[in-house]
Amino acid sequence: MNNSDEYCKPGEFKPIDLLAAAAAREVCDGDVVFAGTGLPMLAITLAQHEQAPNAVCIYEAGSIDGRPLDIPTSVGDARCAHQASKASGLFEAFYGQLHSGYVDLGFLGGAEIDKYGNVNCTVIGDYNHPKKRFTGSGGNSDISSFAKRTVFIMVQEKRRFKEQVDYVTSPGWRVRKWPSGEWVPKQELYQSYFKGGVSTVITDMAVFRFDETGEMYLDTVHPGFTVQDVIEHVDFKLNVSRVSGQTLPPTKKQLALLYNVIDPEGIFLP
Amino acid sequence: MSRPEKISLKEAGALVHDGDLITFSGFTIWRRPVAICYELIRQGKKDLHLFEVQGGYHSDLLVGAGCVKIWEGAWMGQEMLGKIGENLARKQINGEILVDDYSHGHTAGRLMAGALGLPFFPCALAMGTDIFNPEYDQLAKAGLRDGNHRNIPAQKYVMAEDPFFGRGECALLPAVNPDVALVYAPIVGDEGTVRVLSQSYNDAEVIKASKKVIVICEEIVPDSHLRRDPAANLASGYEIDYVVECPWAAHPTGSQFYYDSDGDFLKNYNRTVRDQKAFDEFAEKWIFGVDSHEEYLEKVGTKRLGELRASPIMGYSTRVKRGTR
């Protein structure tokens, strides 16, 4: 195995490898992480091998602090519960862990996002007469409501980064208060339940973060892309005043971990 | 106190009536009561109202076969093996089915309230989302929240101030008490004690919340064996009404320590059933084209079932090929 901390050069890694490495960097040591299947699993496991050995993973189906030997394809997989501290259920995961305030970091995906981090994973078009139907919320809304930080991993397309998403499945920093429909800051609606919110969006082109007012800004651009490329793939006026540089590529050690240790069967990494 | 009655798969299917509100055990592609869902389709059930924390192959099948009128839940799909419930998506777009969306926390809470005999569950999850948008309340729009439908609450939710500690508003979500729970558990005792062998998902609440509970299991064992380790058990026999012994009843979903989920079968299903004709062909081959569960298993084949069989040490198959390397 290549244990070098040297960064890979262009051509030495695939886009998904960089996504996994960028997502892994969002994990702090000791974090209690709520993760879904796929990339989030690769990211949390990679982080546990590196800077966050004490990070704990909860899967929403009910396994708590599991230490899977083989990467799961479902959060309900038997693999998730291997060496877990507890094999519980959704009630424990969503209320005993999330609602009660233990969860530091959530990893989620979505189909559309707006500049306040409101995410849609339910329908495209008018909800009453949809053009396309996705999976629906699952734990997406709950995790984005209650995790102290939430990282979204998404595909960068103009039609997905919208002024207003077609359906708000998961709350961002400005949300609507029903039944009036009035837009209010998340803190105002959640009051004593407020714990935090969307912190980062990682796409196949860039990394975005949120400023003090809860508005999205461009932080880093992945190797091979420019700030202009990103602007052209966002359908709202993007704040590019805080760009800090290029997203770091994965290291040789990270690549070796991903392919040889974390996903040797080639389930998520082809 | 009474012991559950042991019945056949066909008899179990006959206990579900058109228009019933039904719910299920399991999570997406694990521990789903698939064999009984095949049977409900063969028996031509109609107008079912499904309430589930999250759906999967079992419920997408019922939807595809035209057995379902209302679907309430938080999510529908096969996770990494197919990210959308294809039949539910198609039928919602066509307006053939009423879909009412919640979050996972909401559905788990509604079921827990039902299980505990409480009228509602309070929580602050998913506030500020379109789940609470009154314009999108499909059951209200269809005129079903008029108090004349026994399984449909008069309101989707109520926002209420905390009257005790002044912590602010949170949502009160109505309890759900399904007519029938269809539960797959690997092991049931001869007095009805139920054991699952890993994460319990919402299975305990599904059992307690429902008026009639049918458990489909891999094997029935002496209750005395399960009573040696009471902490490992999920439910007591008096909570269960009927038991069906039916090995491999969860296929193609998985059962921890018995068999893995059948990834190829599920991926193929999701790729195949994107239009009604393709679904009907699938149903003809796998549901109507077999006379019994045994015949279905013969069709899957002993080679495939052998590959899926779980290692008794690891709890999942160490032989099935899952990836590309």
Side-chain angles (χ1 to χ4, degrees), chain A residues 221-232:
Chain A
V221 178
H222 299 346
F225 297 103
T226 65
V227 171
Q228 192 54 37
D229 292 335
V230 180
I231 290 172
E232 283 167 16

Side-chain angles (χ1 to χ4, degrees), chain A residues 33-37 40-42 44-45 57-66 68 71-72 74-76 79-81 88-90 93, chain B residues 199:
Chain A
V33 184
F34 222 91
T37 35
M41 273 175 186
L42 299 176
I44 168 83
T45 316
C57 190
I58 297 174
Y59 290 120
E60 59 195 277
S63 70
I64 296 178
D65 196 11
I71 198 154
S74 155
V75 294
R79 292 160 183 84
C80 295
S88 68
L90 280 87
Chain B
Q199 299 107 298

Side-chain angles (χ1 to χ4, degrees), chain A residues 70 74 95 127 135 142 263, chain B residues 79 83 101 103 105 201 316 325:
Chain A
D70 301 292
S74 155
Y95 293 100
Y127 181 79
T135 51
D142 306 317
D263 186 15
Chain B
E79 292 195 68
K83 288 215 150 194
D101 280 299
S103 76
Y201 311 136
Y316 51 87
R325 283 195 291 276

Side-chain angles (χ1 to χ4, degrees), chain A residues 60 70-71 74-76 79 88 95 99 127-128 133 135 137-138 142 145 168 178 190 192 263 265-266 269, chain B residues 74-76 79 83 92 101 103-105 124 126-130 138 167 200-201 256 260 316 322-325:
Chain A
E60 59 195 277
D70 301 292
I71 198 154
S74 155
V75 294
R79 292 160 183 84
S88 68
Y95 293 100
H99 209 285
Y127 181 79
N128 295 309
R133 167 85 199 184
T135 51
S137 167
D142 306 317
S145 302
V168 176
W178 301 108
Y190 277 72
S192 68
D263 186 15
E265 289 173 88
L269 299 166
Chain B
W75 198 92
M76 177 65 110
E79 292 195 68
K83 288 215 150 194
Q92 189 191 7
D101 280 299
S103 76
H104 258 165
M127 295 196 302
T129 69
D130 274 324
Q138 299 293 295
R167 291 187 61 187
S200 51
Y201 311 136
Q256 292 89 345
D260 225 311
Y316 51 87
R322 299 191 302 149
T324 55
R325 283 195 291 276

Side-chain angles (χ1 to χ4, degrees), chain B residues 234-252:
Chain B
L234 183 84
S236 305
Y238 60 84
E239 297 170 2
I240 312 302
D241 300 297
Y242 302 94
V243 178
V244 180
E245 196 173 29
C246 181
W248 295 92
H251 181 272

Side-chain angles (χ1 to χ4, degrees), chain A residues 26-257:
Chain A
E26 299 295 317
V27 184
C28 303
D29 198 20
D31 272 354
V32 175
V33 184
F34 222 91
T37 35
L39 257 175
M41 273 175 186
L42 299 176
I44 168 83
T45 316
L46 188 57
Q48 284 169 328
H49 276 97
E50 295 208 303
Q51 84 280 8
N54 301 303
V56 164
C57 190
I58 297 174
Y59 290 120
E60 59 195 277
S63 70
I64 296 178
D65 196 11
R67 288 154 193 192
L69 292 173
D70 301 292
I71 198 154
T73 53
S74 155
V75 294
D77 202 314
R79 292 160 183 84
C80 295
H82 185 76
Q83 298 248 312
S85 62
K86 225 154 87 168
S88 68
L90 280 87
F91 198 81
E92 169 66 14
F94 283 99
Y95 293 100
Q97 303 293 322
L98 187 67
H99 209 285
S100 64
Y102 286 106
V103 176
D104 297 300
L105 176 63
F107 270 120
L108 300 169
E112 293 183 335
I113 191 165
D114 72 12
K115 64 180 169 186
Y116 296 115
N118 289 296
V119 167
N120 174 13
C121 48
T122 304
V123 293
I124 295 292
D126 169 15
Y127 181 79
N128 295 309
H129 306 281
K131 276 193 214 130
K132 195 167 172 52
R133 167 85 199 184
F134 302 118
T135 51
S137 167
N140 211 298
S141 357
D142 306 317
I143 298 164
S144 202
S145 302
F146 264 66
K148 291 170 199 153
R149 289 155 24 238
T150 303
V151 176
F152 279 94
I153 303 173
M154 290 180 62
V155 179
Q156 185 78 54
E157 284 184 278
K158 200 174 176 120
R159 62 183 178 128
R160 293 173 184 266
F161 278 64
K162 295 172 73 169
E163 191 65 42
Q164 199 172 327
V165 298
D166 286 358
Y167 181 99
V168 176
T169 312
S170 293
W173 292 105
R174 303 247 175 120
V175 296
R176 291 174 91 173
K177 199 170 172 172
W178 301 108
S180 71
E182 167 202 2
W183 287 93
V184 295
K186 186 183 184 189
Q187 292 92 320
E188 190 184 314
L189 183 64
Y190 277 72
Q191 297 190 25
S192 68
Y193 303 104
F194 177 77
K195 296 187 173 56
V198 186
S199 63
T200 311
V201 181
I202 304 173
T203 72
D204 42 342
M205 285 178 110
V207 177
F208 305 84
R209 297 187 193 278
F210 291 82
D211 67 18
E212 305 70 21
T213 68
E215 201 169 324
M216 191 191 292
Y217 67 88
L218 181 60
D219 180 16
T220 63
V221 178
H222 299 346
F225 297 103
T226 65
V227 171
Q228 192 54 37
D229 292 335
V230 180
I231 290 172
E232 283 167 16
H233 284 78
V234 173
D235 206 21
F236 52 79
K237 195 170 170 357
L238 180 65
N239 179 355
V240 293
S241 67
R242 297 193 183 191
V243 176
S244 66
Q246 203 175 65
T247 315
L248 290 172
T251 63
K252 296 202 163 151
K253 182 186 169 194
Q254 286 178 319
L255 226 54
L257 280 168

